[in-house]
Amino acid sequence: MCKRTKEDVCVTKTFRHRTRKRKKAIADIISTVEFNHTGELLATGDKGGRVVIFQREQESKNQPHRRGEYNVYSTFQSHEPEFDYLKSLEIEEKINKIRWLPQQNAAYFLLSTNDKTVKLWKVSERDKRPEGYNLKDEDGRLRDPSTITTLRVPVLRPMDLMVEATPRRVFANAHTYHINSISVNSDYETYMSADDLRINLWNFEIINQSFNIVDIKPANMEELTEVITAAEFHPHHCNTFVYSSSKGTIRLCDMRASALCDKHSKFFEEPEDPSNRSFFSEIISSISDVKFSHSGRYIMTRDYLTVKVWDLNMENRPIETYQVHDYLRSKLCSLYENDCIFDKFECVWNGSDSVIMTGSYNNFFRMFDRNTKRDVTLEASRENSKPRAILKPRKVCVGGKRRKDEISVDSLDFSKKILHTAWHPSENIIAVAATNNLYIFQDKVN
């Protein structure tokens, strides 16, 4: 159940996930956010296994300032908690990723996954219902054949609009480890799902068989040195995909080379500066997200402290590196103790690949303009958001005197974190998930 509030910044809206029983507040935490290909729909998944879809309203001439706000369109339970009796393992219902398929007809299709099972959902509208059956009465009960004396032609009657979500395919039993990524191929016939050690290729029409295209599991698990952290298909070339690792490396693979892509085509890695090496180096170099640019020319990766942009034609170092929260370097010890150092932040491109966005702590999120090299820190907060107000840039003070509008690094709230963000494919509209709140911001309306 999603309760909408009217409070926002240029922020068109703020949404709060709520379960019926407040004792299970963890179930409300948003775990993924994704716009569809047109930007008309926005889907969120939460730790309770629910998917909430928001639809953009048509612009109204009477209220041009509203500029197509997003309202709740459909809510459904995608995954339920399960128990693997063979391994005595609980499989939680949390939605790890949602990916939309391009719209082919009146219905919408999306993929959602928890740790083990991917589901293909069809979301469709119904505003007519059939009446006048011959063999059934109006309540759906079968009629006595002896009472049927005439034949009727069923007719369609108008009814209140109803949005239905139905599972069309369930892709299960193919992953030993937790699924961390799903990506729809540009051929729109296949998709891949990745876990810690393997990547599988699926056909949308076949649920009982997948092809293993990457397998990095060693013969002896004690020799395991890295795991797969994220994977994505190239936006235009159906044979190409990338996957990142916990060692901070990215591998580009070509499925035309071999059925099992155990040999990569390109290997992207930045040499480590020995003078900066510390106990935490390996942990903070782990890549938590990898994204192709819309053009397909660049790859963006997010590790704990930075966002990097790589050119597909240059493997030895990134062409751009942006510091997300460099002021946390002195806090790595305490971040390790409270497990925050293992947080997996996502990153997104804007529609023209000119600006990138990623999250931080204290409900801060960062934007970097690749052309002007300017960056800004903004805050997604109910307390600081007035209707139609403009977000004020925030600054973090590391030491010395603190100005009035700055916040000290020691007073940052590490329980408030922006892990999941999404950017409208063509407009300056962004969605930011802050625990169980979803903020939708847009650029300033003239």
Side-chain angles (χ1 to χ4, degrees):
M1 180 178 169
C2 264
K3 183 176 178 182
R4 289 190 285 115
T5 69
K6 272 284 180 189
E7 177 177 310
D8 294 277
V9 187
C10 259
V11 173
T12 56
K13 269 193 169 61
T14 303
F15 299 93
R16 169 165 284 193
H17 275 229
R18 280 188 178 155
T19 48
R20 296 182 187 277
K21 294 182 179 178
R22 292 307 306 158
K23 66 180 182 180
K24 201 175 179 185
I26 294 173
D28 304 334
I29 295 173
I30 299 171
S31 53
T32 185
V33 186
E34 189 79 8
F35 280 101
N36 75 337
H37 288 71
T38 62
E40 292 304 302
L41 297 180
L42 170 67
T44 66
D46 64 22
K47 289 194 172 182
R50 290 167 304 167
V51 172
V52 181
I53 301 174
F54 303 92
Q55 185 181 45
R56 195 178 188 188
E57 290 182 351
Q58 298 300 314
E59 289 191 41
S60 117
K61 292 180 180 178
N62 302 330
Q63 295 175 302
H65 66 279
R66 291 185 68 174
R67 210 165 147 222
E69 293 182 349
Y70 286 83
N71 287 312
V72 176
Y73 177 63
S74 175
T75 303
F76 59 92
Q77 189 72 30
S78 174
H79 287 71
E80 300 281 357
E82 298 175 50
F83 190 80
D84 186 335
Y85 291 95
L86 291 175
K87 297 179 180 176
S88 297
L89 189 70
E90 286 185 20
I91 303 168
E92 60 180 348
E93 64 272 38
K94 173 193 163 195
I95 307 295
N96 291 343
K97 294 288 179 191
I98 289 173
R99 290 289 179 266
W100 290 91
L101 277 69
Q103 190 177 2
Q104 306 286 348
N105 49 38
Y108 303 98
F109 289 87
L110 62 85
L111 286 172
S112 65
T113 183
N114 67 349
D115 286 342
K116 299 290 183 184
T117 305
V118 184
K119 294 184 180 182
L120 175 67
W121 289 89
K122 177 184 179 182
V123 181
S124 54
E125 296 180 353
R126 193 151 61 100
D127 59 358
K128 291 183 176 66
R129 58 190 168 90
E131 282 185 6
Y133 287 111
N134 289 290
L135 301 178
K136 294 180 181 178
D137 60 21
E138 299 307 325
D139 295 325
R141 291 186 295 249
L142 285 172
R143 296 167 63 189
D144 183 356
S146 62
T147 63
I148 302 172
T149 55
T150 58
L151 289 177
R152 296 185 292 179
V153 177
V155 293
L156 291 172
R157 302 278 187 211
M159 59 176 275
D160 291 336
L161 179 67
M162 194 167 78
V163 181
E164 293 179 318
T166 50
R168 298 306 301 269
R169 305 274 191 281
V170 177
F171 305 90
N173 305 321
H175 285 277
T176 307
Y177 307 98
H178 294 176
I179 298 172
N180 56 46
S181 302
I182 48 175
S183 180
V184 179
N185 201 346
S186 58
D187 62 10
Y188 304 130
E189 294 180 4
T190 56
Y191 77 92
M192 68 177 173
S193 56
D195 65 25
D196 291 347
L197 298 179
R198 294 191 178 101
I199 300 176
N200 292 331
L201 181 70
W202 300 83
N203 187 297
F204 281 110
E205 301 300 321
I206 303 169
I207 64 169
N208 58 357
Q209 187 179 30
S210 65
F211 296 94
N212 181 220
I213 53 175
V214 172
D215 187 350
I216 65 167
K217 184 179 180 181
N220 181 1
M221 283 295 280
E222 291 180 2
E223 296 171 4
L224 182 69
T225 58
E226 63 181 331
V227 294
I228 298 166
T229 55
E232 188 176 63
F233 269 119
H234 190 283
H236 311 304
H237 304 312
C238 61
N239 54 283
T240 308
F241 67 94
V242 294
Y243 68 92
S244 58
S245 85
S246 56
K247 274 192 168 181
T249 61
I250 309 111
R251 291 170 174 86
L252 180 81
C253 299
D254 189 338
M255 291 191 289
R256 295 172 301 184
S258 64
L260 182 65
C261 300
D262 49 358
K263 290 185 173 63
H264 46 266
S265 302
K266 293 190 176 183
F267 182 77
F268 301 86
E269 183 179 28
E270 185 175 25
E272 187 186 5
D273 184 355
S275 62
N276 290 336
R277 181 150 184 84
S278 71
F279 171 77
F280 305 107
S281 294
E282 217 165 286
I283 301 172
I284 63 175
S285 67
S286 175
I287 293 172
S288 56
D289 196 16
V290 60
K291 293 274 172 61
F292 270 107
S293 62
H294 295 86
S295 66
R297 170 72 186 273
Y298 305 102
I299 305 169
M300 172 169 55
T301 60
R302 170 71 207 263
D303 56 41
Y304 191 67
L305 294 177
T306 65
V307 172
K308 294 173 182 174
V309 177
W310 303 76
D311 190 314
L312 284 187
N313 298 323
M314 192 166 82
E315 301 171 52
N316 59 341
R317 61 185 175 85
I319 56 169
E320 298 161 28
T321 300
Y322 302 98
Q323 299 294 335
V324 178
H325 38 219
D326 202 45
Y327 46 78
L328 294 182
R329 281 191 188 275
S330 61
K331 301 278 179 189
L332 291 179
C333 194
S334 57
L335 289 165
Y336 178 78
E337 289 171 358
N338 63 17
D339 281 348
C340 284
I341 202 168
F342 302 106
D343 285 333
K344 293 176 170 56
F345 293 95
E346 295 174 5
C347 53
V348 288
W349 302 87
N350 72 336
S352 61
D353 299 333
S354 60
V355 183
I356 55 185
M357 174 174 63
T358 190
S360 182
Y361 294 104
N362 209 69
N363 279 0
F364 289 168
F365 59 98
R366 304 268 282 134
M367 287 177 163
F368 303 94
D369 190 311
R370 298 180 60 210
N371 298 323
T372 64
K373 302 303 177 188
R374 289 180 180 174
D375 63 89
V376 66
T377 302
L378 301 171
E379 183 179 7
S381 166
R382 293 171 64 83
E383 294 76 28
N384 298 346
S385 303
K386 294 178 182 176
R388 298 286 152 202
I390 297 172
L391 283 178
K392 291 182 180 178
R394 303 300 306 268
K395 288 187 178 177
V396 178
C397 168
V398 179
K401 289 186 178 180
R402 183 170 63 89
R403 293 181 183 176
K404 184 180 178 183
D405 57 342
E406 290 183 338
I407 182 169
S408 169
V409 68
D410 295 317
S411 56
L412 293 174
D413 188 344
F414 293 107
S415 65
K416 295 178 178 178
K417 56 193 83 170
I418 305 289
L419 300 176
H420 314 288
T421 56
W423 203 308
H424 190 287
S426 56
E427 297 180 39
N428 280 335
I429 299 174
I430 59 172
V432 175
T435 55
N436 64 329
N437 291 304
L438 175 71
Y439 295 88
I440 300 177
F441 302 86
Q442 63 183 33
D443 60 356
K444 185 180 175 185
V445 183
N446 294 324

